PDB file of all heavy atoms in Angstrom:
ATOM      1  N   GLN A  83      22.134  -7.025   2.859  1.00 91.00           N
ATOM      2  CA  GLN A  83      22.720  -6.976   1.513  1.00 91.00           C
ATOM      3  C   GLN A  83      22.423  -8.272   0.767  1.00 91.00           C
ATOM      4  O   GLN A  83      22.348  -9.337   1.393  1.00 91.00           O
ATOM      5  CB  GLN A  83      24.235  -6.810   1.640  1.00 91.00           C
ATOM      6  CG  GLN A  83      24.847  -6.083   0.480  1.00 91.00           C
ATOM      7  CD  GLN A  83      26.311  -5.749   0.748  1.00 91.00           C
ATOM      8  OE1 GLN A  83      26.884  -6.173   1.746  1.00 91.00           O
ATOM      9  NE2 GLN A  83      26.914  -5.009  -0.165  1.00 91.00           N
ATOM     10  N   ASP A  84      22.250  -8.173  -0.533  1.00 93.00           N
ATOM     11  CA  ASP A  84      22.062  -9.386  -1.332  1.00 93.00           C
ATOM     12  C   ASP A  84      23.389 -10.122  -1.472  1.00 93.00           C
ATOM     13  O   ASP A  84      24.423  -9.497  -1.729  1.00 93.00           O
ATOM     14  CB  ASP A  84      21.547  -9.028  -2.736  1.00 93.00           C
ATOM     15  CG  ASP A  84      20.072  -8.692  -2.698  1.00 93.00           C
ATOM     16  OD1 ASP A  84      19.446  -8.911  -1.641  1.00 93.00           O
ATOM     17  OD2 ASP A  84      19.539  -8.210  -3.712  1.00 93.00           O
ATOM     18  N   VAL A  85      23.335 -11.435  -1.320  1.00 95.00           N
ATOM     19  CA  VAL A  85      24.559 -12.238  -1.391  1.00 95.00           C
ATOM     20  C   VAL A  85      24.424 -13.248  -2.514  1.00 95.00           C
ATOM     21  O   VAL A  85      23.423 -13.971  -2.591  1.00 95.00           O
ATOM     22  CB  VAL A  85      24.761 -13.018  -0.060  1.00 95.00           C
ATOM     23  CG1 VAL A  85      26.029 -13.869  -0.129  1.00 95.00           C
ATOM     24  CG2 VAL A  85      24.816 -12.065   1.121  1.00 95.00           C
ATOM     25  N   GLN A  86      25.417 -13.286  -3.378  1.00 93.00           N
ATOM     26  CA  GLN A  86      25.423 -14.278  -4.457  1.00 93.00           C
ATOM     27  C   GLN A  86      25.804 -15.640  -3.891  1.00 93.00           C
ATOM     28  O   GLN A  86      26.786 -15.754  -3.161  1.00 93.00           O
ATOM     29  CB  GLN A  86      26.445 -13.812  -5.515  1.00 93.00           C
ATOM     30  CG  GLN A  86      26.147 -14.267  -6.911  1.00 93.00           C
ATOM     31  CD  GLN A  86      24.822 -13.723  -7.442  1.00 93.00           C
ATOM     32  OE1 GLN A  86      24.570 -12.531  -7.367  1.00 93.00           O
ATOM     33  NE2 GLN A  86      23.970 -14.614  -7.940  1.00 93.00           N
ATOM     34  N   LEU A  87      25.017 -16.665  -4.216  1.00 94.00           N
ATOM     35  CA  LEU A  87      25.308 -18.021  -3.732  1.00 94.00           C
ATOM     36  C   LEU A  87      25.823 -18.854  -4.906  1.00 94.00           C
ATOM     37  O   LEU A  87      25.652 -18.459  -6.065  1.00 94.00           O
ATOM     38  CB  LEU A  87      24.033 -18.666  -3.174  1.00 94.00           C
ATOM     39  CG  LEU A  87      23.354 -17.963  -1.999  1.00 94.00           C
ATOM     40  CD1 LEU A  87      22.035 -18.666  -1.655  1.00 94.00           C
ATOM     41  CD2 LEU A  87      24.270 -17.962  -0.790  1.00 94.00           C
ATOM     42  N   PRO A  88      26.415 -20.034  -4.631  1.00 92.00           N
ATOM     43  CA  PRO A  88      26.828 -20.896  -5.751  1.00 92.00           C
ATOM     44  C   PRO A  88      25.621 -21.282  -6.604  1.00 92.00           C
ATOM     45  O   PRO A  88      24.475 -21.177  -6.136  1.00 92.00           O
ATOM     46  CB  PRO A  88      27.403 -22.132  -5.050  1.00 92.00           C
ATOM     47  CG  PRO A  88      27.697 -21.704  -3.647  1.00 92.00           C
ATOM     48  CD  PRO A  88      26.764 -20.590  -3.320  1.00 92.00           C
ATOM     49  N   HIS A  89      25.850 -21.735  -7.792  1.00 88.00           N
ATOM     50  CA  HIS A  89      24.826 -22.181  -8.753  1.00 88.00           C
ATOM     51  C   HIS A  89      23.836 -21.068  -9.104  1.00 88.00           C
ATOM     52  O   HIS A  89      22.639 -21.288  -9.235  1.00 88.00           O
ATOM     53  CB  HIS A  89      24.061 -23.402  -8.228  1.00 88.00           C
ATOM     54  CG  HIS A  89      24.959 -24.493  -7.787  1.00 88.00           C
ATOM     55  ND1 HIS A  89      25.801 -25.150  -8.652  1.00 88.00           N
ATOM     56  CD2 HIS A  89      25.182 -25.016  -6.550  1.00 88.00           C
ATOM     57  CE1 HIS A  89      26.507 -26.046  -7.966  1.00 88.00           C
ATOM     58  NE2 HIS A  89      26.147 -25.982  -6.697  1.00 88.00           N
ATOM     59  N   GLN A  90      24.341 -19.857  -9.187  1.00 88.00           N
ATOM     60  CA  GLN A  90      23.550 -18.689  -9.594  1.00 88.00           C
ATOM     61  C   GLN A  90      22.315 -18.464  -8.746  1.00 88.00           C
ATOM     62  O   GLN A  90      21.284 -18.031  -9.247  1.00 88.00           O
ATOM     63  CB  GLN A  90      23.162 -18.820 -11.067  1.00 88.00           C
ATOM     64  CG  GLN A  90      24.371 -18.568 -11.910  1.00 88.00           C
ATOM     65  CD  GLN A  90      24.161 -18.888 -13.347  1.00 88.00           C
ATOM     66  OE1 GLN A  90      23.179 -19.532 -13.721  1.00 88.00           O
ATOM     67  NE2 GLN A  90      25.096 -18.475 -14.155  1.00 88.00           N
ATOM     68  N   ARG A  91      22.428 -18.781  -7.475  1.00 93.00           N
ATOM     69  CA  ARG A  91      21.303 -18.486  -6.591  1.00 93.00           C
ATOM     70  C   ARG A  91      21.618 -17.203  -5.830  1.00 93.00           C
ATOM     71  O   ARG A  91      22.776 -16.765  -5.757  1.00 93.00           O
ATOM     72  CB  ARG A  91      21.022 -19.662  -5.651  1.00 93.00           C
ATOM     73  CG  ARG A  91      20.654 -20.931  -6.425  1.00 93.00           C
ATOM     74  CD  ARG A  91      20.009 -21.954  -5.550  1.00 93.00           C
ATOM     75  NE  ARG A  91      18.692 -21.580  -5.083  1.00 93.00           N
ATOM     76  CZ  ARG A  91      17.567 -21.697  -5.785  1.00 93.00           C
ATOM     77  NH1 ARG A  91      17.610 -22.169  -7.020  1.00 93.00           N
ATOM     78  NH2 ARG A  91      16.409 -21.348  -5.275  1.00 93.00           N
ATOM     79  N   LEU A  92      20.535 -16.610  -5.320  1.00 93.00           N
ATOM     80  CA  LEU A  92      20.700 -15.313  -4.669  1.00 93.00           C
ATOM     81  C   LEU A  92      20.038 -15.353  -3.295  1.00 93.00           C
ATOM     82  O   LEU A  92      18.926 -15.887  -3.139  1.00 93.00           O
ATOM     83  CB  LEU A  92      20.010 -14.241  -5.531  1.00 93.00           C
ATOM     84  CG  LEU A  92      20.165 -12.805  -5.054  1.00 93.00           C
ATOM     85  CD1 LEU A  92      21.588 -12.308  -5.333  1.00 93.00           C
ATOM     86  CD2 LEU A  92      19.159 -11.899  -5.758  1.00 93.00           C
ATOM     87  N   ALA A  93      20.716 -14.801  -2.284  1.00 95.00           N
ATOM     88  CA  ALA A  93      20.119 -14.747  -0.941  1.00 95.00           C
ATOM     89  C   ALA A  93      20.084 -13.303  -0.473  1.00 95.00           C
ATOM     90  O   ALA A  93      20.928 -12.497  -0.866  1.00 95.00           O
ATOM     91  CB  ALA A  93      20.943 -15.576   0.031  1.00 95.00           C
ATOM     92  N   GLN A  94      19.088 -13.025   0.346  1.00 95.00           N
ATOM     93  CA  GLN A  94      19.123 -11.735   1.018  1.00 95.00           C
ATOM     94  C   GLN A  94      19.811 -11.981   2.360  1.00 95.00           C
ATOM     95  O   GLN A  94      19.371 -12.843   3.136  1.00 95.00           O
ATOM     96  CB  GLN A  94      17.719 -11.207   1.241  1.00 95.00           C
ATOM     97  CG  GLN A  94      17.759  -9.798   1.795  1.00 95.00           C
ATOM     98  CD  GLN A  94      16.370  -9.254   2.017  1.00 95.00           C
ATOM     99  OE1 GLN A  94      15.631  -9.762   2.833  1.00 95.00           O
ATOM    100  NE2 GLN A  94      16.033  -8.233   1.281  1.00 95.00           N
TER     101      GLN A  94
END
Side-chain angles (χ1 to χ4, degrees):
Q83 209 171 7
D84 283 351
V85 179
Q86 208 62 50
L87 300 175
H89 308 296
Q90 287 171 347
R91 299 196 68 81
L92 184 74
Q94 187 180 64

